[in-house]
Structure formats: C-alpha cells, structure tokens
Amino acid sequence: MTTWITVCETCKHEDWQERGVEVTDGDALATLVEAAAKTAEGDVKTRRHSCLMGCKMACNITIQAEDKLCYTLSNFDPVEGDAEAIVGFAALHSASETGQVPYRTWPEGVKGHFTTRHPPLPTSE
C-alpha cells in the first residue's frame, strides 16, 4: 500500500518576502522531500498540492494511505534534515498495517510537528 507525502508547494513563512528568495518555502521543501523519497524504504511516493490551508503554520505536509491513519504535520523549514525526517516517518507509516507508528520510532525531526490525525474513511456504511 502506497504512503503518499503531499507537500504544500505554496507555503511561505512570514518572513518569506524579506528573505528575497525566488521560490516559496513549500516549493523548496517539496524539492527536498522528493529527493529524499528516492531512497526511502517501503512504498513511499510524493506529490505537490497548492495550499493545504495551514498558512499560519507553514510548511505543511500530509502523510496518507488508503485504509490507514492519516496525518497533517506543520511548521517545517525547507532544509534537508526536515525533509529526511518527513520521509523517514512516511517509510514507517508505509510499513505499519494501520498507519500508527510507535512514538519511540519517530524520527526526531517530526516530533512536535503533528497538527492532526485522521482516521481512515469507512469502506462501507
């Protein structure tokens, strides 16, 4: 079962304009996550999305897979360490039957970044 990392490519930290960078923080993070995912263990894929509506908590990502718990994580920086932590958690999510990952195995770089957890959608009424 594929675990998808969705990266908000339009996220900008509040100081984005002052820093004078040409790409959004989300776009920069997406590029780093895509690179890190190329060597990820498990079935991990990436995609970009325009606005996950968590603007005050940029940079936002989701970790999702069919029939598993799904997560929204926020407040990342567009740096290699954050991208590697995101992909590391996604690999653990991929290996988990339910999507639940024991806290003791979380990459340090995702701790404190969880915003929401969603149960899987029901498959029947």
Side-chain angles (χ1 to χ4, degrees):
M1 176 94 34
T2 301
T3 289
W4 286 93
I5 303 169
T6 304
V7 182
C8 177
E9 65 184 359
T10 56
C11 277
K12 300 174 191 167
H13 287 289
E14 289 184 11
D15 67 343
W16 179 75
Q17 277 188 308
E18 291 82 38
R19 285 185 282 128
V21 293
E22 293 186 23
V23 299
T24 63
D25 296 313
D27 187 35
L29 180 62
T31 298
L32 293 167
V33 168
E34 290 162 351
K38 288 180 182 176
T39 59
E41 293 184 24
D43 188 4
V44 175
K45 294 186 179 167
T46 63
R47 65 183 182 159
R48 294 170 180 235
H49 187 74
S50 178
C51 195
L52 292 176
M53 298 183 77
C55 301
K56 288 193 181 269
M57 298 182 295
C59 292
N60 298 282
I61 63 105
T62 63
I63 306 288
Q64 302 167 290
E66 190 173 334
D67 296 326
K68 291 186 178 185
L69 290 168
C70 301
Y71 300 90
T72 304
L73 295 87
S74 304
N75 290 320
F76 288 105
D77 290 315
V79 296
E80 195 172 290
D82 283 2
E84 290 172 355
I86 290 165
V87 171
F89 182 82
L92 295 169
H93 181 271
S94 175
S96 167
E97 187 174 317
T98 63
Q100 188 162 356
V101 177
Y103 179 81
R104 69 183 174 280
T105 65
W106 291 6
E108 194 63 37
V110 297
K111 293 178 179 176
H113 291 272
F114 286 82
T115 305
T116 61
R117 179 173 76 172
H118 303 268
L121 290 172
T123 55
S124 63
E125 289 187 36

